[in-house]
Structures are given as structure tokens and as C-alpha cells.
Amino acid sequence: MSNYNPFQNSTWNLTSGLIVESDHSPLRNIQLTHKDQTVDASPYKLPGEDTLTNTKHIIQQNNFTNTNLNTIGKQLTRLEKQIQKNPTHFMTDKNPHRP
């Protein structure tokens, strides 16, 4: 199991060829690798008149959504582990004036 560094960003390959480091996938077209194949993912697509093009757009958006859900899931897991390690730190009320 690898140790997570909260200050280490993920690397994202844009379809333009640029590489971006960020916690979350950028709102740009990205390329992913899945089962040794390159997969395109896109946050936004406009519908076309061609049914095949529309289907490809939907698949690319689903790929992007799945990537973001995976990223959010990993972040939630890290938070759960931190809370389990130090539950009193997260439960302590730091504002003594709150009722």
C-alpha cells in the first residue's frame, strides 16, 4: 500500500499533448489509459446531428464523470482514514462561544 502525500497532485494527459498536475481532472479533454488502451474523456460536448457522433460524445462524458467519481472516492477514503486515526481532533469544537 502506498503512502499518500496530500500535497502530491495527480498527472493528467490532455488530448492536446500537454501534461497537467492537479488534484482533480482539469475541465479539458483528457486521455486516460485503461487496459493498455487510450481512452478519451471530455467534460463537455455539444450534440451533433450524427447519431454515432452523439454516442461517442456521451461515452467521452461518461469516462470523464467516472474519472471524477474515482478521484472523489479516493479523497473520501483518505478523509475516513484520517478521522479514524484521530477522531477526537475532528470532533473537538474549536469555537467555545457556540451553543
Side-chain angles (χ1 to χ4, degrees), residues 11-12 32 38 40 48-49 58 60-62 64 66 78 81-82 91 94 98:
T11 301
W12 304 96
L32 309 167
T38 301
D40 289 335
E49 293 182 25
I58 291 168
Q60 289 177 354
Q61 286 180 306
N62 285 344
F64 191 85
N66 291 339
R78 287 192 302 268
K81 288 180 181 179
Q82 286 291 56
M91 300 298 283
K94 295 185 180 186
R98 278 178 59 187

Side-chain angles (χ1 to χ4, degrees), residues 15-82:
T15 55
S16 66
L18 295 174
I19 297 175
V20 176
E21 288 189 17
S22 173
D23 287 335
H24 299 278
S25 58
L27 288 177
R28 306 264 309 270
N29 293 349
I30 58 176
Q31 288 185 331
L32 309 167
T33 302
H34 179 68
K35 296 185 179 181
D36 297 327
Q37 291 185 352
T38 301
V39 178
D40 289 335
S42 176
Y44 304 106
K45 287 287 189 178
L46 296 175
E49 293 182 25
D50 180 17
T51 304
L52 182 58
T53 302
N54 283 336
T55 302
K56 287 181 182 178
H57 288 179
I58 291 168
I59 291 170
Q60 289 177 354
Q61 286 180 306
N62 285 344
N63 292 339
F64 191 85
T65 300
N66 291 339
T67 299
N68 280 294
L69 288 173
N70 185 42
T71 301
I72 292 168
K74 288 178 183 178
Q75 290 173 341
L76 287 173
T77 299
R78 287 192 302 268
L79 284 173
E80 286 178 338
K81 288 180 181 179
Q82 286 291 56

